[in-house]
Amino acid sequence: MRRFLWVVGFMVSGLFGTSLCAQRYDANPSAFFLPDEASETAKIMASGFISTGLDELSGVFTPDYKEFYYTVSHRNEFSALLYTRYEGGIWRYPEVVEFSGRYPDADPFLSPCGEVLYFSSQRPAGENDSGGVWNIWQVKRDGGGWGDPSLLAMNSLRHERFPSVTQKGDLYFYADYGSSLVTFDFQKANIYRAEKSETGYVLAEKLPATVNSAYADYTPLIAPDGSFLIFASRRPGGRGQSDLYISYWQEDGSWSEAVNLGSPVNSTDSDHYPLLTPDGKFLFFSSDRRILSPKPAEGATYSYFKRVGLGPGNGFNDIWFIQAPQK
C-alpha cells in the first residue's frame, strides 16, 4: 500500500508540478480541486488527474466532499463510472466504481444526503433482457460501499438518461419518448419530470415549450429546491454545437423562457452535463473545447505531440467549473 501511495504521489507530481496528493486537506478536502471563491472564469478541473485527455463527464461530490464521482467514456462505445476518495489525508487515484465496468454506465448523481447514487446504464433489466437500452438506476450505501443497483425506469423500453433529483425526491431526466427508433434517437431527446409519490413516481411529464424545443434538449440539472433548471440544448441561436441554458420556476407554477448562459460557460464547441457542488457555489459542466498549446519556438518534439494530443483540451470532453448561476 505504501508503494501504491508513493506511485500516485509521483504521478500527480509530474502532472501538476508539485505532489499535491501528498498534501493534507483534512479541514477542506475539496481544496485539492477547487479554489476558496468561485470565479466567473471557466477553469478546467484537476488537469491531469480528473481531466486527462480521455472523455470525462458528469462530475459530482458527496456532501462531505470526500468522494468525487464522474463518467469516463470511450468514443461513445463504452463508458463507466469512476471515483476518487479522500482517505488517510490524501486523494486516492481514480478507479472504477465497484458495481460499474461491465456494462455502459454514465451520469452519476448523488442524493442530497449522499446515501443514494442515481446513474444511467445499459445493463440488463432482468434475466431475459439483453441490455442495450439506457435506463435510470439507483444504488444505496451498504456499509463502506454500495449495494446492488436497482432499476428506476419510467419506461424500460425507451432510452432514459441523466437523472437529477430534488430534495423532495422529484426526478428530472431526458428521454427519446418521441422516437419510433429502437436505437437511441438523440434528436428526439427532451426533458421530463416524474413527481415522487408514496409508492414510487407518478407518470413522467414532458416539460413545456419554455424549456423543451424541436431540437435535442438533454442533461437536465434541477436545483435542490427546484428553483431553476440548467440543461443542454442544440437549438438554433447558440454559440456552439450544444449550449447550456437556464429556466426558472415561477410563482405561478410555470417555467420561465430558457435563457442561454452565454460565455464563458458556453463556447463554440459542445457544452453540456451540468452539475452543482453540494454548497451550490460551483457549476460543473463538460466541454470538448480545445485548449490551444503554443508551438515550441525550437520546433515540435515527440513530447509536445503527446502533451497536446493525449492531454486535456485535446477535443475530448473535460470537466470544467465556474461560479454557479444565482437564483
Side-chain angles (χ1 to χ4, degrees):
M1 180 59 72
R2 287 187 177 181
R3 181 179 181 275
F4 171 77
L5 295 179
W6 181 87
V7 170
V8 172
F10 175 79
M11 292 178 66
V12 176
S13 174
L15 295 169
F16 289 91
T18 58
S19 183
L20 295 181
C21 269
Q23 297 182 30
R24 299 183 66 91
Y25 297 89
D26 294 336
N28 182 17
S30 67
F32 174 74
F33 299 107
L34 301 170
D36 291 336
E37 298 297 329
S39 171
E40 295 182 358
T41 301
K43 298 180 180 180
I44 199 166
M45 180 177 182
S47 179
F49 187 67
I50 297 296
S51 299
T52 65
L54 298 175
D55 220 1
E56 291 101 4
L57 309 151
S58 307
V60 61
F61 277 109
T62 53
D64 62 3
Y65 288 91
K66 291 185 177 181
E67 294 175 357
F68 183 79
Y69 290 80
Y70 62 107
T71 304
V72 168
S73 175
H74 177 66
R75 300 183 184 275
N76 291 324
E77 297 172 3
F78 191 80
S79 60
L81 302 183
L82 271 68
Y83 83 113
T84 176
R85 68 187 188 277
Y86 186 76
E87 184 180 60
I90 64 170
W91 281 96
R92 303 291 174 135
Y93 197 69
E95 56 186 295
V96 176
V97 178
E98 58 197 77
F99 58 82
S100 188
R102 183 176 180 185
Y103 304 100
D105 298 324
D107 313 330
F109 182 90
L110 284 159
S111 64
C113 63
E115 293 300 309
V116 181
L117 177 66
Y118 302 88
F119 65 101
S120 309
S121 180
Q122 291 188 27
R123 63 187 58 210
E127 293 183 0
N128 298 321
D129 183 13
S130 59
V133 176
W134 282 107
N135 282 138
I136 295 171
W137 293 70
Q138 66 177 6
V139 60
K140 298 181 179 180
R141 293 278 187 185
D142 183 13
W146 296 101
D148 295 324
S150 59
L151 183 64
L152 196 64
M154 303 298 108
N155 182 342
S156 61
L157 301 179
R158 294 308 314 168
H159 297 272
E160 302 163 334
R161 286 198 60 175
F162 205 81
S164 181
V165 182
T166 66
Q167 293 171 339
K168 292 171 53 181
D170 294 343
L171 173 68
Y172 289 73
F173 61 98
Y174 76 92
D176 66 344
Y177 290 159
S179 175
S180 59
L181 300 180
V182 175
T183 55
F184 179 57
D185 189 352
F186 180 65
Q187 298 306 318
K188 293 292 184 179
N190 281 131
I191 297 169
Y192 293 81
R193 170 183 177 266
E195 187 177 352
K196 181 70 173 177
S197 69
E198 294 182 358
T199 58
Y201 290 94
V202 301
L203 185 65
E205 60 178 1
K206 182 179 176 180
L207 268 59
T210 52
V211 173
N212 283 309
S213 69
Y215 300 84
D217 303 297
Y218 64 112
T219 60
L221 164 69
I222 186 66
D225 61 359
S227 61
F228 63 84
L229 180 77
I230 300 175
F231 63 97
S233 179
R234 294 205 169 185
R235 65 190 65 187
R239 300 189 71 244
Q241 296 185 34
S242 62
D243 278 14
L244 289 173
Y245 291 76
I246 189 167
S247 176
Y248 293 91
W249 181 253
Q250 302 182 107
E251 292 183 0
D252 63 0
S254 64
W255 287 102
S256 68
E257 194 73 36
V259 176
N260 191 300
L261 284 179
S263 176
V265 173
N266 292 315
S267 67
T268 56
D269 297 294
S270 293
D271 303 294
H272 39 198
Y273 295 87
L275 286 164
L276 291 170
T277 51
D279 60 10
K281 289 173 56 178
F282 295 89
L283 171 69
F284 290 125
F285 65 97
S286 296
S287 178
D288 60 3
R289 65 188 68 180
R290 295 180 182 272
I291 300 175
L292 298 179
S293 180
K295 296 178 181 179
E298 66 278 8
T301 63
Y302 180 53
S303 295
Y304 167 80
F305 284 107
K306 286 181 66 178
R307 184 175 70 254
V308 173
L310 302 179
N314 63 353
F316 288 109
N317 282 290
D318 299 300
I319 296 176
W320 293 71
F321 64 89
I322 196 170
Q323 181 180 11
Q326 302 303 305
K327 298 180 182 178

